[in-house]
């Protein structure tokens, strides 16, 4: 119905719906303090709102927007489109600061590093590749790729560890890839029996523990340095489609 709905995570009570889109809402992202929300819709508009549900600003129309990320302080919002471009705006002014030809096909996922200095992007049909950009200038800051991958694969999700030192990518084939952000060097990923079947993944803020969910509903925690499984349990009746750590780990 074009609305964005909010719930209290402690009680499950719906707090407030926020209208404003004329089409289905495809993505939302919060500022770290949860006081500002950005949402995008098939109506071709990206909108900002505050925690009270009041609209703050409508960004210029952006047909084909497919992904969004907001930096932790809420200063910038990045959107990826069907045309493979990544565009960045200042949230305070709505000024478009970057327009990058990032990928050959639509932009699947975006993520800001915790220090907001680096933006990561992943594109459809672009192999097991994550591109890093200087969030201020748009200069290329890294091209992380799995050697020997094929263009028929792509990255489904990309995220940083909480300390910003590691970059992680969940692939279309259900694998989890890790890189050192500073050097671009591959880090050991998970190689257990579920590798190749992962549906969702996340890193603890310090990057030392990873979590993933598979198609059977099982959640596993593993040591990212050694690859050892720390704990595993059946969490859901169906596939796990999303995972996240709380800010305190």
């Amino acid at each position: 119905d074009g609305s964005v709905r909010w719930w209290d995570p402690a009680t499950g009570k719906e707090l407030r719906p926020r209208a404003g889109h004329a089409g289905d809402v495809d993505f939302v992202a919060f500022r770290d303090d949860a006081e500002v929300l950005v949402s995008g819709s098939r109506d071709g508009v990206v909108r900002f709102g505050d925690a009270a549900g009041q609209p703050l600003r409508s960004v210029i129309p952006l047909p084909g927007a497919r992904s969004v990320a907001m930096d932790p302080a809420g200063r910038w919002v990045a959107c990826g489109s069907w045309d493979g471009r990544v565009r960045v705006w200042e949230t305070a002014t709505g000024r478009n600061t970057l327009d990058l030809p990032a990928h050959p096909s639509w932009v699947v996922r975006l993520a800001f590093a915790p220090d907001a200095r680096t933006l990561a992007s992943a594109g459809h049909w672009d192999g097991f590749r994550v591109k890093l950009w200087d969030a201020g200038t748009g200069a290329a800051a890294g091209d992380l790729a799995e050697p020997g991958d094929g263009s028929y694969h792509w990255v489904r999700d990309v995220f940083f560890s909480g300390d910003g030192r590691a970059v992680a990518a969940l692939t279309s084939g259900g694998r989890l890839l890790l890189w050192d952000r500073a050097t671009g060097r591959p880090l050991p990923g998970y190689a257990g029996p579920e590798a190749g079947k992962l549906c969702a993944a996340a890193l603890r803020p310090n990057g030392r523990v990873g979590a993933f969910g598979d198609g059977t509903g099982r959640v596993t925690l593993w040591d990212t340095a050694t690859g050892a499984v720390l704990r595993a349990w059946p969490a859901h009746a169906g596939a796990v489609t999303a995972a996240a750590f709380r800010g305190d780990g």
Side-chain angles (χ1 to χ4, degrees):
D1 61 2
S3 66
V4 176
R5 300 181 180 274
W6 307 54
W7 287 267
D8 185 319
T11 65
K13 179 182 178 181
E14 185 173 3
L15 300 177
R16 63 188 76 85
R18 180 167 72 86
H21 288 288
D24 293 343
V25 177
D26 286 327
F27 50 77
V28 295
F30 277 106
R31 193 170 69 183
D32 264 14
D33 62 6
E35 291 299 316
V36 175
L37 172 78
V38 62
S39 59
S41 167
R42 296 182 188 182
D43 63 4
V45 176
V46 177
R47 296 184 183 277
F48 297 102
D50 66 11
Q54 299 301 313
L56 299 179
R57 179 182 298 278
S58 293
V59 179
I60 57 174
L62 185 62
R66 298 299 300 160
S67 54
V68 68
M70 184 181 287
D71 83 284
R75 292 170 296 178
W76 297 315
V77 61
C79 292
S81 303
W82 278 106
D83 59 7
R85 304 187 78 87
V86 173
R87 298 171 175 89
V88 178
W89 288 271
E90 288 182 337
T91 55
T93 66
R95 182 173 66 92
N96 182 205
T97 61
L98 295 176
D99 188 342
L100 308 173
H103 298 278
S105 186
W106 55 280
V107 181
V108 179
R109 287 290 186 270
L110 295 165
F112 279 98
D115 61 9
R117 295 172 58 187
T118 303
L119 175 67
S121 67
H124 199 244
W125 304 116
D126 201 13
F128 295 152
R129 170 171 281 107
V130 174
K131 293 186 177 181
L132 303 181
W133 311 92
D134 184 300
T137 67
D143 190 349
L144 311 176
E146 177 81 351
D149 62 343
S151 60
Y152 51 89
H153 295 298
W154 65 94
V155 170
R156 291 168 45 184
D157 198 3
V158 60
F159 47 95
F160 290 86
S161 60
D163 60 9
R165 295 181 179 180
V167 182
L170 183 65
T171 75
S172 58
R175 297 172 57 210
L176 185 65
L177 307 177
L178 297 173
W179 294 274
D180 183 286
R181 173 186 170 191
T183 66
R185 180 175 57 88
L187 300 173
Y190 181 73
E194 298 88 353
K197 304 175 184 178
L198 310 186
C199 300
L203 292 178
R204 183 172 283 178
N206 63 13
R208 297 173 184 170
V209 175
F212 64 79
D214 63 26
T216 70
R218 189 176 182 83
V219 172
T220 300
L221 300 180
W222 96 101
D223 186 308
T224 57
T226 67
V229 172
L230 303 175
R231 183 185 174 197
W233 67 97
H236 299 278
V240 180
T241 59
F245 281 95
R246 202 169 67 172
D248 60 7

